[in-house]
Structure formats: C-alpha cells, structure tokens
Amino acid sequence: MALRHAVLAALLDEELSGYQVTKAFAAGVANFWHALPQQVYAELARLEREGLVAGREVVQEVRPNKRLFRVTDEGLAELEGFASAAAKPSFLREDLLVQIQAADHLDTDVLIERLTERFAFAEAKAALFEEQLRRMRGECDEAEFLLRGARIGPYLTCRRGRDFERANRDWCRDVTEVLRARRKAAGPPRRRSAPDQFLNPNSPTS
C-alpha cells in the first residue's frame, strides 16, 4: 500500500484540511500506516495535482485561511483499484525483537528495562484505542454497532490496533517473566577463576 491510499481513505467521509488529515493519522490511521505530518502534506499536494483529490480555499476572518480536501471520482476509482488487488502480507520489524534474539549474550537487567518500557507504551496505546472504540459506538454495544453502525471501517481498524498493542503488552510481560525466572534459576553470577599462576605454588613467579 502506498501512502496515497491511506490519505484517500482518511478523506472518504468528509472534507478535511491538511491539519485534520494529520490528526486523523495520529488518532487512528497510525495503527496501520505511519506517516510524518510533512509526508501527509506532500502527499495531499501530489493527489491534488493528479486530480485524485480536490481542494478549496476557506476564508476565515479570525484565523488564517485553510484549504479543505475531498476525494474526487478519480480518487475513489484509485481506491477501488487498490482494493481489487490482492493484499500483500506485512512483515514485523522491531528493534526490541532483535535485542531479545541476542538475549543469551546481553545484560538481562537491560533487556528487562527495555521490555518494561515497551509494556507501558503498549498498555497505554491499547487503552487509547479502547477509549476511541467506546466513543465510536456510543450507547451501542459492540455487536449492535458492528451490525448497524454507520461507519464500521474506522472501528475495525481501531480494534486491530488495540488487539495488536494488547498482544505486544502480553508478549513483553511473558518474556520478562522468562528472563527473571532464568536469572533466578542461574543463581548469583560466578566469580571468574584466578589465573593459574596464582593457584599453582610451583609457578615460577610464586
């Protein structure tokens, strides 16, 4: 998937300014596609040049004028073409996994500290997604919302983000427990043996 498709998807329901699109990415789209604000602005400009989005200037008396964007028929056709293609599988790339891969040769305390940090991040992010899900469904329970809700696309992607971070949280907890158990089973670190010359009374230097 290219960034353009994520931007087009964010604009499907209403006109948004560039700032609002970046906020949409930070709040929801980021759980399946990460982009910096400057990348989003640059992509909006490209999409407008190609006729996939249309922009209009909105004059504001108190605040600076703003430009609102909407998806054109050509943009919708682009998304339909994207949806008709087979989805490519994603691949996980995370520094923490590389660190754990080398766990047998690294300081356990340092790894537990990294895992603790990632656990806290994942737990906070999962709670944020859960709050967004509650706001989306309002007074409905989830089953009713999924059956009759007006917009389930953002809800389903948000739920995927929540489940992803919950899995990260649980994995960090489990790995931390494994490392602590192994450290406890190993006992205190052994002192290194003194060089032979200090142990052998017949050594030339004794």
Side-chain angles (χ1 to χ4, degrees):
M1 179 179 72
L3 174 58
R4 62 175 43 213
H5 300 125
V7 173
L8 287 170
L11 288 168
L12 282 176
D13 294 302
E14 58 182 328
E15 284 186 312
L16 296 175
S17 67
Y19 174 76
Q20 289 172 315
V21 174
T22 62
K23 293 289 286 184
F25 265 71
V29 178
N31 76 77
F32 60 86
W33 190 270
H34 174 73
L36 298 173
Q38 55 266 37
Q39 293 175 305
V40 174
Y41 283 112
E43 191 60 46
L44 276 170
R46 279 191 290 270
L47 290 170
E48 187 173 17
R49 287 197 302 270
E50 295 175 22
L52 302 182
V53 303
R56 66 183 179 91
E57 198 79 9
V58 176
V59 177
Q60 302 185 112
E61 294 183 2
V62 179
R63 297 180 179 179
N65 296 345
K66 65 179 179 180
R67 193 165 184 77
L68 295 180
F69 299 91
R70 63 173 178 81
V71 177
T72 63
D73 291 341
E74 291 79 4
L76 184 57
E78 170 75 16
L79 270 178
E80 289 173 342
F82 166 69
S84 67
K88 295 180 181 178
S90 60
F91 299 95
L92 186 61
R93 296 175 60 185
E94 187 169 343
D95 292 345
L96 182 57
L97 291 178
V98 178
Q99 295 166 354
I100 298 303
Q101 172 74 14
D104 302 295
H105 303 277
L106 300 179
D107 187 324
T108 298
D109 288 335
V110 171
L111 291 178
I112 289 176
E113 185 177 350
R114 299 288 80 76
L115 287 161
T116 301
E117 293 169 351
R118 185 67 180 86
F119 177 94
F121 176 86
E123 190 167 50
K125 197 71 179 294
L128 178 62
F129 283 134
E130 184 60 40
E131 178 58 30
Q132 290 177 334
L133 290 169
R134 281 195 292 268
R135 288 200 302 267
M136 287 182 192
R137 64 178 179 260
E139 300 298 322
C140 298
D141 61 25
E142 184 167 81
E144 179 68 16
F145 179 82
L146 291 175
L147 185 63
R148 306 186 187 280
R151 299 173 64 239
I152 63 165
Y155 188 91
L156 293 172
T157 56
C158 187
R159 193 170 71 169
R160 176 67 179 95
R162 179 202 61 189
D163 294 346
F164 176 75
E165 291 301 348
R166 283 180 174 177
N168 285 334
R169 176 200 62 191
D170 294 345
W171 179 81
C172 289
R173 180 198 58 218
D174 294 345
V175 174
T176 298
E177 291 175 357
V178 168
L179 293 179
R180 284 176 174 160
R182 286 177 61 85
R183 182 175 60 186
K184 183 177 180 180
R190 298 179 180 179
R191 295 180 60 186
R192 292 184 179 180
S193 300
D196 290 344
Q197 66 184 37
F198 296 110
L199 299 178
N200 183 359
N202 298 320
S203 171
T205 58
S206 61

